[in-house]
Amino acid sequence: MARSVHVARLYPEIGQLERLNTQGHATRALWNLLHEWHLMCCEHRRPMLGWPEIDRQVKAARRDPPEGFEWLAKLPAQACGAVVKLYVAAWKRCYSGHARPPRFKSRHRARMAIDIPQAPDFRVVRLNRRWGEFTVPMVGRIRFRWTKPLPGVTRTVPGRLTGARLVHETNGWHVVFRIETPDVAPPERSASAVGIDRGVTHTLALSDGTFRDMPKLLSDSEAKRLLRLERKAARQRRSRPKNQPTSNRLNQTYDQIAKLRARAKRRRDDWIHQTTTEITREFGAVAVEDLKVQSLTRSARGTVAEPGRGVRRKAGLNRAILGMAWSQIGEHLDYKTTRTGGVLVKVPAPRTSQRCHACGLVDPASRRSQSLYVCTNCAWSGNADTNAALNIVNAAGLAVSGRGGSRVAEACEAPTTRRAA
């Protein structure tokens, strides 16, 4: 079975919104309670109880809450169990080396979320072309924006809903439906191939000579407002007394900044979805560099004994790289090529921007500028990002042009990593 999710925005009524916020804060408080319990056990060197025993005690406290814990009764039993399960899973990921240790969740900065693991209780109904409705425990029937057919509701869509998660974003509550669909053999694809070079000047440079540039995520007025709010927040932080809690006015400024940044994020995600879908539908094989973005964006600050050089310049480059979302683009290309019957090939990154795709000469002097490449051997000239994209598709063994039409570049015989379909 293939697993996927579908996100839709909720439109609760005023009373429902209050109950959702209450449940969201209750899940955060339960997480903090579990974390405090764990830290207390570590301090006194006592073993932490197992997940079934913790779940049993939390549900018992919910049925008969002690003094000061009446908020537990406002959270559904399923959501309580999901919080306990997620907390235990967070420590397992930490012990396996895949994540950092769990921390306390702040009331103002943490994102509220409520898990609903029992899908049969949803009773999802499509009201009309634009609206749907489903049941949330202890809240009632809530409308959501209908933008995609859902299995179990639309007869032509196979599969089923397995659960949901309510998440509070800066623009309101959203529901994330978990979907299971039967595995379907992908259709036959053509042998057309493309190499993609991810950059800062051009977000995506394709080996066919075209570019996919990310548009401006904020308008000029929105960018000016964001800068004004960030300066205002800096002034408010400086005027705050030391070791004092954040003022309400500073929290309001933070909320306004978060709304603008979330708007830019939604626009970036929308562009990435549309662009990667277009590329995977057009080309049967996609080749990209095997980039370690976390290493590329590491700070150049250095240490006190050995301070780094060009720290501010490197910080600006890191912001530009992270703003282009290279990792997210790679992840989207990965699963979308699998769905459409294509293949994603990752090639080693070294020398792809310094090698001439026509003659194979590696000479850093050929890279005249950020956008211009002029080979010192064969005098080929063109866009440097396009040349890198041609090197990538050659190194992947998928080239249809360049190097005399060879499918495998002689100078790029390093082993490639192919993602399993």
Side-chain angles (χ1 to χ4, degrees):
M1 300 291 288
R3 292 180 174 85
S4 61
V5 297
H6 172 62
V7 183
R9 185 172 178 181
L10 296 179
Y11 290 83
E13 299 176 357
I14 296 179
Q16 294 175 337
L17 181 60
E18 293 178 356
R19 290 192 288 271
L20 283 175
N21 292 335
T22 300
Q23 290 190 14
H25 288 301
T27 57
R28 176 191 55 81
L30 179 56
W31 176 281
N32 291 340
L33 179 64
L34 293 172
H35 192 51
E36 186 176 0
W37 188 8
H38 180 85
L39 295 180
M40 184 182 64
C41 291
C42 294
E43 181 181 356
H44 295 281
R45 297 184 179 181
R46 295 178 180 177
M48 187 71 175
L49 299 177
W51 173 72
E53 179 62 22
I54 297 176
D55 185 53
R56 187 190 66 80
Q57 293 192 17
V58 168
K59 289 182 178 179
R62 177 184 172 276
R63 288 192 298 268
D64 187 13
E67 184 178 356
F69 291 89
E70 291 80 6
W71 49 269
L72 272 175
K74 299 179 181 179
L75 191 63
Q78 301 172 6
C80 285
V83 173
V84 176
K85 190 174 181 180
L86 286 173
Y87 183 77
V88 175
W91 276 113
K92 289 182 179 179
R93 290 195 301 271
C94 174
Y95 294 147
S96 62
H98 292 90
R100 295 180 179 179
R103 297 183 298 178
F104 288 107
K105 293 188 176 182
S106 168
R107 179 181 180 86
H108 296 287
R109 303 270 72 89
R111 184 175 65 171
M112 293 189 294
I114 309 166
D115 248 300
I116 312 177
Q118 300 293 339
D121 299 335
F122 291 165
R123 300 203 303 273
V124 181
V125 176
R126 184 174 184 179
L127 301 178
N128 51 44
R129 185 169 64 90
R130 296 186 176 181
W131 296 100
E133 192 178 56
F134 78 112
T135 301
V136 177
M138 300 182 67
V139 176
R141 304 285 292 177
I142 299 183
R143 293 194 310 162
F144 66 92
R145 193 71 170 178
W146 188 278
T147 57
K148 178 182 177 180
L150 293 176
V153 183
T154 306
R155 296 181 179 179
T156 58
V157 179
R160 65 189 184 98
L161 298 177
T162 60
R165 183 177 177 85
L166 308 182
V167 181
H168 186 265
E169 301 287 355
T170 55
N171 61 338
W173 282 92
H174 295 72
V175 57
V176 183
F177 289 110
R178 302 186 184 99
I179 302 173
E180 273 191 359
T181 54
D183 291 327
V184 179
E188 293 291 336
R189 296 298 306 276
S190 62
S192 58
V194 68
I196 299 178
D197 177 65
R198 289 167 285 184
V200 175
T201 304
H202 295 289
T203 308
L204 299 177
L206 275 60
S207 57
D208 60 359
T210 60
F211 302 100
R212 305 292 191 274
D213 294 327
M214 186 180 297
K216 291 178 61 176
L217 302 178
L218 293 176
S219 64
D220 293 339
S221 60
E222 290 171 337
K224 290 180 181 178
R225 182 167 180 264
L226 178 60
L227 179 60
R228 185 170 63 251
L229 289 172
E230 289 176 341
R231 290 175 175 174
K232 180 180 178 181
R235 291 194 302 269
Q236 292 173 335
R237 283 196 301 270
R238 286 195 300 267
S239 62
R240 183 183 62 182
K242 191 175 181 180
N243 299 327
Q244 292 296 319
T246 306
S247 65
N248 291 333
R249 291 185 178 181
L250 181 55
N251 282 327
Q252 291 176 359
T253 306
Y254 283 151
D255 291 339
Q256 294 173 357
I257 293 174
K259 288 182 180 178
L260 283 173
R261 290 180 175 173
R263 185 181 303 171
K265 179 181 180 300
R266 290 194 298 271
R267 291 172 181 172
R268 178 172 56 244
D269 292 345
D270 180 67
W271 179 84
I272 291 174
H273 269 291
Q274 294 189 31
T275 304
T276 53
T277 299
E278 176 188 353
I279 291 174
T280 53
R281 286 179 178 174
E282 184 177 355
F283 301 99
V286 180
V288 296
E289 292 175 301
D290 189 11
L291 297 176
K292 302 295 186 292
V293 179
Q294 186 175 3
S295 300
L296 288 173
T297 56
R298 189 171 297 166
S299 175
R301 186 178 306 168
T303 61
V304 177
E306 297 181 0
R309 296 181 179 179
V311 178
R312 293 179 63 86
R313 184 169 62 253
K314 182 63 167 64
L317 177 62
N318 292 346
R319 284 194 297 269
I321 292 174
L322 295 175
M324 292 299 173
W326 289 357
S327 296
Q328 188 176 357
I329 291 173
E331 293 172 358
H332 282 248
L333 290 173
D334 190 0
Y335 83 84
K336 288 182 180 180
T337 50
T338 303
R339 282 187 178 181
T340 57
V343 61
L344 177 70
V345 181
K346 290 191 173 184
V347 304
R351 304 283 191 270
T352 54
S353 62
Q354 298 177 357
R355 186 188 306 275
C356 176
H357 77 278
C359 67
L361 176 69
V362 178
D363 186 4
S366 299
R367 186 75 180 261
R368 301 297 177 86
S369 66
Q370 180 66 29
S371 59
L372 179 62
Y373 186 96
V374 179
C375 182
T376 56
N377 181 39
C378 67
W380 181 91
S381 63
N383 187 274
D385 295 334
T386 302
N387 175 73
L390 288 167
N391 283 325
I392 291 169
V393 73
N394 286 345
L398 304 171
V400 294
S401 63
R403 292 299 212 106
S406 173
R407 291 186 58 84
V408 181
E410 299 174 2
C412 296
E413 292 181 351
T416 62
T417 302
R418 177 169 298 193
R419 290 291 185 91

